[in-house]
Amino acid sequence: QVQLVESGGGLVKPGGSLRLSCAVSGFNFGNYYMSWIRQAPGKGLEWISYISSTGTTRLYADSVKGRFTISRDNAKSSLFLQMDSLRVDDTAVYYCARDGGPRSWFDYWGQGNLVTVSS
Amino acid sequence: DIVMTQSPESLAVSLGERATINCKSSQSVFHGSNNKNYLLWYQQKPGQPPKPLISWASTRESGVPDRFSGSGSGTDFTLTISSLEAEDVAVYYCLQYYTTPRTFGQGTKVEIK
């Protein structure tokens, strides 16, 4: 069955960096767009980045543009999010999700990984 | 960006009663070329990721009970749970996928009265 498992979260100081990973199984990873979506504690959902199936197209929300970098390794069925210059308001559960593409939705989600930015 | 506004923020409904959640978009998410509304509803239970319920505003995803239904077009949409069950306690979100960035409503919490 489809599985997405995030890792790499934790506690980091403002201005610091973290790299999230998402290991995928159960579908042909290289055929799909993938996205990162986050949810601040007790808050709603915010899409933050997607990457096309080949990695040639990447898009970011304004809130993370210039600080976060999405990437993928199709040979290892893995998705990544490099987060630099982290701010307190980046504190959230980060989900990786299979993405049907720019005019589609996020159909399978990981369980999420908590990133806490605090001094 | 398209702003999605849900109402109410929360509601408490008795078991077996109807629950109705509204979602309004700041611009139309209807595409005339295919007559489709680019609107999806998610259900998120505590400690779990969101699960797609209804796509294209009114198409139930596989395995979703038929007590869940979606309606609306253009800018105004509704998710209805016809007869609330205990397992339906969750937060429900609408998502527009008409344009980038795709945006979510702020969520509606459904509880048992």
Side-chain angles (χ1 to χ4, degrees):
Chain A
Q1 75 277 23
V2 173
Q3 282 195 307
L4 299 89
V5 180
E6 302 95 341
S7 60
L11 176 63
V12 61
K13 287 182 166 48
S17 298
L18 272 180
R19 179 176 165 90
L20 300 183
S21 299
C22 174
V24 167
S25 60
F27 66 94
N28 192 336
F29 180 73
N31 285 352
Y32 287 88
Y33 279 61
M34 295 295 294
S35 272
W36 289 98
I37 298 147
R38 68 183 180 184
Q39 186 169 35
K43 302 295 185 184
L45 299 160
E46 180 190 17
W47 168 84
I48 56 171
S49 183
Y50 80 63
I51 186 167
S52 62
S53 57
T54 59
T56 53
T57 301
R58 310 175 196 211
L59 201 67
Y60 301 93
D62 288 346
S63 57
V64 305
K65 199 176 297 181
R67 301 187 298 121
F68 289 12
T69 303
I70 192 170
S71 61
R72 65 190 295 159
D73 183 340
N74 285 351
K76 295 184 177 179
S77 295
S78 294
L79 177 72
F80 306 100
L81 186 68
Q82 177 66 41
M83 303 186 293
D84 298 319
S85 303
L86 282 160
R87 310 190 295 224
V88 171
D89 62 358
D90 292 319
T91 295
V93 172
Y94 285 73
Y95 295 99
C96 63
R98 192 174 82 169
D99 189 338
R103 273 204 157 165
S104 185
W105 58 93
F106 319 106
D107 56 358
Y108 289 95
W109 298 55
Q111 285 299 309
N113 202 218
L114 178 62
V115 172
T116 303
V117 185
S118 174
S119 53
Chain B
D1 298 2
I2 296 179
V3 177
M4 308 298 289
T5 304
Q6 290 182 229
S7 62
E9 289 191 2
S10 65
L11 73 161
V13 176
S14 300
L15 291 173
E17 296 300 306
R18 179 183 299 260
T20 301
I21 301 167
N22 300 301
C23 175
K24 188 175 184 66
S25 58
S26 61
Q27 63 188 77
S28 176
V29 298
F30 176 76
H31 205 300
S33 66
N34 59 6
N35 280 336
K36 286 184 179 289
N37 288 283
Y38 285 61
L39 189 285
L40 181 133
W41 290 97
Y42 285 102
Q43 175 193 64
Q44 186 178 31
K45 296 183 179 180
Q48 295 185 18
K51 170 191 167 185
L53 284 182
I54 292 174
S55 58
W56 306 113
S58 61
T59 302
R60 270 190 303 275
E61 294 293 283
S62 175
V64 173
D66 61 7
R67 64 180 180 274
F68 291 92
S69 64
S71 63
S73 185
T75 61
D76 292 280
F77 300 91
T78 300
L79 173 69
T80 301
I81 310 172
S82 60
S83 177
L84 192 75
E85 298 193 5
E87 66 184 24
D88 301 333
V89 168
V91 180
Y92 293 84
Y93 295 92
C94 57
L95 166 76
Q96 69 79 19
Y97 49 98
Y98 182 80
T99 190
T100 299
R102 286 162 285 178
T103 46
F104 296 87
Q106 79 277 23
T108 296
K109 187 174 186 178
V110 174
E111 298 172 307
I112 305 295
K113 186 187 291 183

